Every structure is written in C-alpha cells, then in structure tokens.
Amino acid sequence: MDPVHPDELSADDTRGVARVVQKLRKARRVLAVTGAGMSADSGLPTYRGVGGLYRSDRLTPAGVAIEEILSGPMFEARPEVTWKYLKEIERASRGARPNRGHQVLAEMQEHFDAIWILTQNVDGLHAAAGSRNVLEIHGDLHDIRCTACTRRERVGNYDGLGTPPLCPDCGAVMRPDVVLFGESLDPAKLRRLEAEMARGFDVVFSIGTSNLFDYIVAPLRIAQAAGKTTVEINPDQTAMSGLVEVKLHARAAVALDAIWDGHLEWWPHT
Ligand code: NAD
Ligand code: ZN
C-alpha cells in the first residue's frame, strides 16, 4: 500500500477526528474548501503534490509548461493546443464517480443550517454527489460556450468535438466554461462567496488542496481570526498545515467517512 495514502487513521488522526466531531456538534454553518485531492479518491489525477500528474517542473512533449498551455493567452493564440490538453484532462477524468468524501459532504446538508462548498475542481463531482451549495470557482469542464455568441452546451464528454470545436451557430471557437491560467474569476461567484463569508462559518475545512491561491486560503484565515474551527485534510503538508486547529494527515474519503461515523453515532440521541 502507498504509505502516504494509508487506509487506516493514525492515532493522531483519530484524536483529530474526535475533536472535529465535537466541534461539529455545535456548528450551524460549515464551509468545505476543496481541491484536486478531494477527487483523487475517485481516481482523478491531482495537479501538484501527492499523485500529481502535471507537476510544475513537468514539461509537455512540446517543451512548454502545462500552466502555459492551459492559459488564456495560449488559448487565444493557439486554441487547438489548449484543446488538445483539455481533451487529455477530460479523458483522464472520464467516468469518475463521486467518492465517499463527496457523499459525506452531500449528506451533511441535512444536519446543518447551511453547508457551502468552495471548489477548485472542474469535474462536477460535488454536484453529482447531490451537494446543492457548490461554488465551482474554476467552472466545470462539461460546460462549453462559444467565444463569440451566446451559445452554451452541456456535454457528457469531449468525444466528437473538433480540436478546437467550432460553434454551430456562428463558426467561432468554442471553449470550456473554466478559468484558464491568467484569467479572472467570475465576479458573481466571488460576490456570493463574500456574502456567505460575511454570515460566518463555524467550521471551515480545507480538503485536498495545495492552498496556493489567496482566495482559497482566505476563508481559512478569516475563520481562524474569528476564533472558529479550521480543519485541513491532506496526507501532505501545505502552507496552512501549521496554522489550522486540526490537521488530519489522511485521504479525503477516509477522514470524512470517519468524521461522519463519529457524528452519526451522536446524532440519533438528540
Ligand atoms: P493540487 O493538485 O495543487 O493539490 C492537490 C492536493 O491534494 C495536494 O496537496 C495533495 O497532497 C493532496 N491530495 C492528494 N491525494 C489526496 C487525497 N486522497 N485526499 C486528500 N488530499 C489529497 O490541486 P488544487 O489545490 O486543487 O489546485 C490545482 C488546480 O488544478 C486547480 O486550479 C484545479 O482547478 C485544477 N485541477 C482540477 C482537478 C479536478 O477537477 N478534479 C484535477 C486536477 C487539477
Ligand atoms: Zn457562436
């Protein structure tokens, strides 16, 4: 078994889980900030860190960093190059199903006043698991839109799409409705996040993200400054590992399953 991906929780992690369960008992509003590691247990490759497919030091066969290929400027100049790699990513994630971690976050909806998910993932697996309040801050690969007109499509996969695909209405290049490197985030989604942050969260989870972006780390810092509970679930260390109240060195599916078991043990007695 991969030693960084143990199926059993360590003694430390078991204590951490008990602490999270205790905090959840009093919680009304919960936020989960998720990244590629959340979907690793569904078999999807992560970006950096454990199981990383596209490490920043890895160059594509064309000798160009993947960040550059998946960038706004590259898409504008050579959409066929960006599309070639988007298709590889889509193929690698095809057929993936929500894992136990996604399911637990969806089940949590019935137990708290509000549970919000801020995800960097473009795989749509939180919605597929049944989570309703999902802010897909980087979009969803399955939403395709025209770069020139208002045409939008929802696709199951990229089979049958050209490289690049062209709009059937106006002939312009189509693109996935995702945020490419160097592009700005959707202001409407940011406003929604700010509004929910202003209402406050009692427990904030950071799950399977390398915590590299400010807008991903901000909810944790804000919660921490307000004296709320912060929890990181990641087998690896990140910039937030030393700052969170509870650090679980475990896989998302394993840790969330254990947390939920602990919560449900207590729940029927209330
Ligand atoms: P990242 O790849 O930078 O970091 C993933 C983190 O998950 C690492 O810290 C790693 O140690 C951890 N991890 C690995 N396996 C785990 C597991 N089983 N449980 C918990 N944690 C685990 O990912 P990021 O922080 O989300 O940033 C990457 C960028 O790439 C994002 O912008 C995202 O849009 C994109 N991306 C998305 C997907 C997806 O949609 N599934 C996949 C890869 C990359
Ligand atoms: Zn069009």
Side-chain angles (χ1 to χ4, degrees):
M1 197 203 317
D2 183 345
V4 289
H5 281 169
D7 277 326
E8 299 296 327
L9 292 169
S10 68
D12 256 8
D13 287 337
T14 304
R15 276 191 293 277
V17 164
R19 193 167 167 78
V20 176
V21 169
Q22 188 191 23
K23 293 290 180 180
L24 282 177
R25 284 179 195 175
K26 293 180 215 129
R28 306 180 77 120
R29 289 173 52 83
V30 176
L31 172 68
V33 181
T34 72
M38 179 84 219
S39 297
D41 293 326
S42 294
L44 299 198
T46 59
Y47 194 80
R48 308 170 189 90
V50 177
L53 175 68
Y54 304 114
R55 295 200 324 268
S56 53
D57 58 349
R58 201 191 112 157
L59 298 181
T60 61
V64 183
I66 189 79
E67 274 94 343
E68 207 178 320
I69 292 207
L70 295 177
S71 73
M74 177 63 90
F75 182 81
E76 268 175 39
R78 312 222 15 224
E80 72 284 2
V81 174
T82 309
W83 263 105
K84 181 172 172 279
Y85 282 89
L86 287 168
K87 285 184 167 183
E88 270 190 22
I89 292 171
E90 186 278 317
R91 184 157 272 287
S93 62
R94 188 153 327 157
R97 305 296 316 144
N99 63 57
R100 182 68 192 135
H102 294 104
Q103 284 167 4
V104 165
L105 293 179
E107 284 174 31
M108 279 186 172
Q109 288 171 142
E110 316 309 327
H111 293 242
F112 301 95
D113 289 357
I115 157 127
W116 277 86
I117 296 171
L118 168 64
T119 189
Q120 299 163 86
N121 297 344
V122 293
D123 52 32
L125 290 180
H126 283 298
S131 283
R132 291 184 292 268
N133 296 332
V134 186
L135 274 170
E136 290 175 319
I137 199 81
H138 293 165
D140 184 332
L141 274 180
H142 305 98
D143 293 326
I144 310 283
R145 64 176 166 86
C146 178
T147 52
C149 76
T150 56
R151 188 182 175 97
R152 300 182 73 89
E153 278 172 37
R154 176 94 187 153
V155 297
N157 61 55
Y158 285 177
D159 275 353
L161 294 183
T163 313
L166 301 178
C167 175
D169 295 339
C170 76
V173 170
M174 303 279 285
R175 61 168 289 168
D177 199 11
V178 298
V179 180
L180 295 171
F181 286 97
E183 292 184 327
S184 353
L185 300 174
D186 179 350
K189 288 181 184 167
L190 285 176
R191 275 196 301 275
R192 189 68 215 239
L193 175 62
E194 270 167 31
E196 293 303 325
M197 288 300 303
R199 299 176 72 187
F201 288 101
D202 305 304
V203 177
V204 176
F205 288 94
S206 164
I207 309 171
T209 171
S210 45
N211 279 319
L212 291 180
F213 302 120
D214 287 348
Y215 52 91
I216 289 305
V217 174
L220 286 160
R221 291 196 181 280
I222 291 168
Q224 198 180 34
K228 306 297 184 179
T229 299
T230 50
V231 184
E232 178 177 68
I233 302 176
N234 191 324
D236 234 355
Q237 292 291 112
T238 76
M240 292 309 288
S241 302
L243 301 171
V244 291
E245 185 178 328
V246 183
K247 162 73 189 174
L248 300 175
H249 289 92
R251 295 191 293 132
V254 173
L256 285 168
D257 187 52
I259 288 168
W260 207 230
D261 265 0
H263 183 79
L264 292 179
E265 234 166 69
W266 157 80
W267 181 260
H269 305 298
T270 59

